[in-house]
Amino acid sequence: MNVLELFRTVRTFAFDVDGVMTDGTLQLLENGALSRKMYIRDGYALQLAVKKGYRVVVISGGSAGSVRSRLESLGIKDIFLGVQDKASVLAGYVAEHELEWSSLLYMGDDVPDYTAMQMTGIPVCPADAAPEIKAICRYTSPFSGGKGCVRDVIEKVLKLHHHWEVN
């Protein structure tokens, strides 16, 4: 199957944070705080997907308030932080919103995402994902975590449905 045909069914995007929306590194600050970097072009794609009516859900083991603030500023409302069992959270979300597993794209990068990714119709990952994750993915972005992989998949879906705007 052509990868674009695979993306044609996507109506819901689910993303991990660290290693997907960030490059997976943490900067340790003198005051004990942790700092992450997010790619601005991923942010543009995320907010456009929300504006165009796609569901965007974020499920992360991390619990930084700064991450929640950034995601909320992009219009994302379905944010689950500090999650130990991503598969259970995702299953509850799918049931609550009566979603089709086949129309759900999940992008993860490491072992904590494995079970949740296997449940979805379209498991995808960044170029620098762990080998175990790459092995179960139907698409591997040519972009690494925190360097455009989120935009890559959102842009493909939105372009397929004529929702990608260039003015």
Side-chain angles (χ1 to χ4, degrees):
M1 171 185 279
N2 177 319
V3 70
L4 292 180
E5 285 305 310
L6 173 69
F7 287 160
R8 192 171 300 283
T9 65
V10 175
R11 297 293 178 266
T12 302
F13 297 96
F15 296 103
D16 177 31
V17 174
D18 293 318
V20 173
M21 292 183 171
T22 75
D23 66 6
T25 61
L26 292 174
Q27 184 175 7
L28 308 175
L29 304 177
E30 286 299 318
N31 64 3
L34 301 175
S35 174
R36 295 167 171 84
K37 292 189 309 186
M38 291 185 166
Y39 192 54
I40 197 77
R41 291 185 190 161
D42 286 346
Y44 173 77
L46 285 160
Q47 64 81 32
L48 183 59
V50 170
K51 284 181 184 173
K52 293 298 180 177
Y54 293 84
R55 289 185 181 276
V56 176
V57 59
V58 176
I59 305 172
S60 176
S63 57
S66 58
V67 170
R68 180 177 298 282
S69 294
R70 171 63 176 154
L71 297 173
E72 287 175 346
S73 77
L74 297 172
I76 300 169
K77 296 183 183 353
D78 300 324
I79 304 167
F80 302 91
L81 302 180
V83 173
Q84 298 302 310
D85 185 352
K86 294 180 181 187
S88 292
V89 169
L90 187 61
Y93 184 84
V94 167
E96 177 183 345
H97 297 283
E98 300 178 352
L99 303 176
E100 297 288 330
W101 286 104
S102 62
S103 68
L104 197 149
L105 177 149
Y106 187 112
M107 180 174 266
D109 72 304
D110 207 350
V111 174
D113 301 303
Y114 189 90
T115 303
M117 291 176 73
Q118 285 191 306
M119 297 163 61
T120 69
I122 308 156
V124 301
C125 66
D128 58 345
E132 299 90 343
I133 297 301
K134 285 183 175 183
I136 63 167
C137 284
R138 298 185 69 189
Y139 174 75
T140 299
S141 174
F143 301 96
S144 294
K147 306 245 167 106
C149 62
V150 171
R151 179 179 174 133
D152 176 43
V153 295
I154 292 175
E155 184 175 338
K156 281 177 174 42
V157 171
L158 270 59
K159 282 183 174 180
L160 278 169
H161 297 284
H162 308 289
H163 291 151
W164 189 258
E165 298 174 351
V166 180
N167 294 347

